[in-house]
Amino acid sequence: MEASNHSDDFIPAGLAAYGIEADEIELAVIRAAHQTFWPPILELLELDTSQVPTERAPDLSQPPPSR
Amino acid sequence: MSEPLDLSLREQAAAVAAGEVDAAELLQACLERIEERNPALNAVVETFPERSREMLAAAPAGPLRGVPIVIKDEWPLPWRAQRFGAAEMLAPTAPGESAPYRALRDAGAVIAGIGNMHELGAGSTGSISVYGPARNPWDTERCPGGSSSGPAASVAARLVAGAVGADGVGSIRYPASYCGLTGLKPTFGRSAMAGHHMAAVSNTIVSGALCADAADCRLLDSVLFGEELRAGNPEGLRIGVLRGEVSEDVAPAVREACEGAIDDLRRETGGEVREIELPELAVATLATVLIANSESLGGVTPERLNDLDPELSPIGRGLLKYRVLLPAIATIKSQQVRTMARQTLARVFEEVDVIAWPTVPAVAPPLEAPLVELPSGTLTADAANVRGGALANLTGIPAISVPVGSSEGLPIGLQLQAAWGRDELLLDAAEALERGNGRRWVEATPPAARGAETLEA
């Protein structure tokens, strides 16, 4: 199945799963945010990061320890 | 002598130390100026003259003795809990001695007021706040930038000569650019942060100075760092530039000013310009936003989201609720993207000393509709600004915004980024840039600070 940013089902279903209520204005904000964020999130999920180690407790004041 | 309040931060400090300016009179002048100019700006949301006078009375002979400072509504003070620009925060708050407060107090500074900010720190424009938006001193119908909107507007309007902001996703650099100031986002962990409600969980937020120029930032940031940020010589500076969206999908006037400034910097330092590649930049921007938005979710419960203060803006309420829908896999991959970006930057900084691109792609947009026109089309200012601002927060590197031009009577900023711990180099480079353009842009003052003249005049 192809991924999409179709929000009609995702947003109300997602909020309902958590028991979170939202009024119409809030839903409009959430839909706008979803339209902005979801396409790049889908691109991010396509990125194969299996060879990239996650830095354990990274010290962001320093460069990465090994490269 | 000029009006003491119009002196630079370092000149105010020197004048007080030399007995040329009475600190009590300086504080009184500051409070009176806030009363006079702030109604048009809403930059300062609270003053506490008695507390300020108590700080002054107890001020030690530090590097900022008797100098008034504004601090963002993001840290507690002993007499006031932070509000984070919001009607409600999803974190417990109480009055207390935050690290920036202690640093300022121990340096002899006087906190004169609280700077406005974008609600919950969640915006680059300053257009939303529980106090009402702060306004840009260059044009009060324009955004001052966010989230450190009030600190920036306070300094630009010369209510104070220095202010403390915070930068989680560009929040010092965006308002510095919009307001024509110099603003340093320090290397992660170098500046005072304790007492911030997210200090224990955030890998992105730092405190930092907003001042008229780099020398003032050096002084105030030295206080926040707890160490002297020594001046050096950036001779032979290797300047990295990047082709692509962050430097090319920008308003023509911004591109022209920033390219000219990069040339000024190269010439002034006898340096060179090299093209670099940052293949992860676009995905790093998203990763920053996802990480920054998930760092604050610890205190969230569905029950709390269903009982949000109705005074919280609809945008704030909606975005808080949307955050719980963000997939965990995206946040995990974002952490891997951070590793990739840090590794790439470590390699890049073997080849160049600084990376330069526009701080934001367009000048301050209208408060009423914070949209910007770019070659690619119309974007929200938030979506456009984050492209250039996020990388430093994701990876921990320092970054500075320096004023380098104007368009439509509004300032333009150039961002310089350097390797971890090279905050001093950024200040050196900013000072070289100031010399390169004759300090034209750091000495420009907005209408709100000097009557009705314009920047172009």
Side-chain angles (χ1 to χ4, degrees):
Chain A
M1 181 185 289
E2 194 171 321
S4 85
N5 67 346
H6 192 60
S7 59
D8 288 354
D9 299 327
F10 176 78
I11 290 171
L15 293 174
Y18 292 112
I20 296 171
E21 301 156 3
D23 62 27
E24 277 308 308
I25 298 174
E26 292 165 0
L27 282 172
V29 171
I30 294 169
R31 278 194 289 269
H34 191 68
Q35 283 174 6
T36 301
F37 287 115
W38 202 248
I41 284 175
L42 292 177
E43 287 179 29
L44 174 65
L45 298 193
E46 287 294 319
L47 193 65
D48 181 1
T49 54
S50 58
Q51 301 303 312
V52 181
T54 299
E55 286 183 86
R56 290 171 64 85
D59 179 357
L60 296 186
S61 69
Q62 303 288 332
S66 60
R67 54 183 193 272
Chain B
M1 180 185 290
S2 308
E3 187 76 23
L5 266 183
D6 294 326
L7 297 173
S8 68
L9 187 78
R10 57 194 180 281
E11 288 169 337
Q12 287 183 12
V16 170
E20 296 166 0
V21 166
D22 181 86
E25 291 177 10
L26 183 64
L27 173 60
Q28 185 59 31
C30 171
L31 294 170
E32 287 173 7
R33 185 171 281 186
I34 291 172
E35 203 166 309
E36 172 200 345
R37 293 182 181 174
N38 193 57
L41 300 168
N42 200 26
V44 175
V45 296
E46 189 175 331
T47 58
F48 21 71
E50 286 311 309
R51 297 289 190 178
S52 301
R53 291 186 186 108
E54 287 169 15
M55 277 191 88
L56 177 58
L64 288 176
R65 197 187 91 73
V67 177
I69 298 288
V70 159
I71 187 169
K72 189 178 182 183
D73 183 23
E74 196 154 332
W75 285 276
L77 302 176
W79 58 89
R80 181 188 188 275
Q82 75 275 38
R83 293 189 67 187
F84 214 29
E88 178 183 1
M89 296 169 58
L90 295 178
T93 62
E97 286 194 3
S98 61
Y101 163 77
R102 284 197 297 268
L104 292 170
R105 178 198 63 192
D106 295 348
V110 177
I111 298 176
I114 300 297
N116 203 346
M117 65 176 287
H118 196 108
E119 183 186 63
L120 298 170
S124 71
T125 61
S127 61
I128 300 172
S129 166
V130 69
Y131 310 104
R135 293 175 176 275
N136 192 318
W138 292 94
D139 178 344
T140 55
E141 298 302 314
R142 300 283 182 145
C143 294
S147 63
S148 304
S149 54
S154 298
V155 176
R158 306 302 291 169
L159 308 183
V160 288
V164 176
D167 192 320
V169 187
S171 286
I172 286 174
R173 292 159 285 154
Y174 306 141
S177 183
Y178 279 2
C179 289
L181 302 176
T182 303
L184 176 70
K185 178 263 170 204
T187 297
F188 182 79
R190 274 194 89 179
S191 57
M193 267 299 287
H196 189 286
H197 55 279
M198 286 179 61
V201 297
S202 175
N203 276 320
T204 58
I205 305 177
V206 293
S207 67
L210 286 141
C211 296
D213 66 9
D216 277 359
C217 278
R218 190 186 296 278
L219 174 58
L220 182 49
D221 276 315
S222 292
V223 167
L224 293 172
F225 282 44
E227 61 177 303
E228 184 182 353
L229 300 177
R230 295 182 186 280
N233 182 354
E235 193 177 333
L237 193 71
R238 299 170 300 168
I239 306 163
V241 296
L242 184 70
R243 291 197 182 280
E245 195 176 64
V246 74
S247 53
E248 294 174 345
D249 190 23
V250 301
V254 171
R255 183 170 178 173
E256 184 181 345
C258 288
E259 288 178 352
I262 290 168
D263 200 44
D264 287 343
L265 183 59
R266 178 195 59 75
R267 198 169 47 249
E268 184 64 27
T269 61
E272 59 181 302
V273 175
R274 298 181 179 181
E275 276 196 27
I276 61 164
E277 292 186 358
L278 293 173
E280 299 92 0
L281 183 60
V283 71
T285 300
L286 174 67
T288 314
V289 173
L290 292 176
I291 288 173
N293 277 287
S294 59
E295 284 175 337
S296 60
L297 289 180
V300 169
T301 65
E303 186 180 6
R304 292 193 73 181
L305 289 175
N306 284 336
D307 194 29
L308 292 173
D309 190 313
E311 293 301 311
L312 204 59
S313 76
I315 290 177
R317 294 197 309 268
L319 291 179
L320 281 172
K321 292 176 180 180
Y322 182 58
R323 287 178 183 183
V324 302
L325 300 182
L326 296 172
I329 184 174
T331 304
I332 291 167
K333 280 183 180 275
S334 294
Q335 290 164 356
Q336 292 174 302
V337 167
R338 173 159 58 194
T339 298
M340 293 162 61
R342 280 166 53 76
Q343 290 174 342
T344 298
L345 279 174
R347 286 192 295 273
V348 166
F349 284 125
E350 290 174 355
E351 303 297 322
V352 301
D353 299 304
V354 298
I355 300 170
W357 64 55
T359 308
V360 292
V363 296
L367 274 164
E368 196 171 317
L371 303 171
V372 294
E373 299 293 334
L374 303 181
S376 64
T378 303
L379 282 181
T380 66
D382 283 344
N385 293 344
V386 72
R387 292 170 172 176
L391 184 68
N393 300 93
L394 181 71
T395 60
I397 61 172
I400 195 168
S401 181
V402 187
V404 295
S406 77
S407 174
E408 307 167 50
L410 295 162
I412 292 170
L414 176 72
Q415 179 176 221
L416 302 173
Q417 301 172 86
W420 299 263
R422 302 199 79 191
D423 309 65
E424 291 90 334
L425 174 68
L426 291 179
L427 293 164
D428 297 339
E431 289 179 341
L433 189 47
E434 292 170 12
R435 288 192 300 274
N437 60 35
R439 290 180 55 80
R440 178 181 179 194
W441 304 112
V442 295
E443 291 184 357
T445 52
R450 59 173 168 80
E453 298 167 66
T454 69
L455 177 63
E456 310 283 9

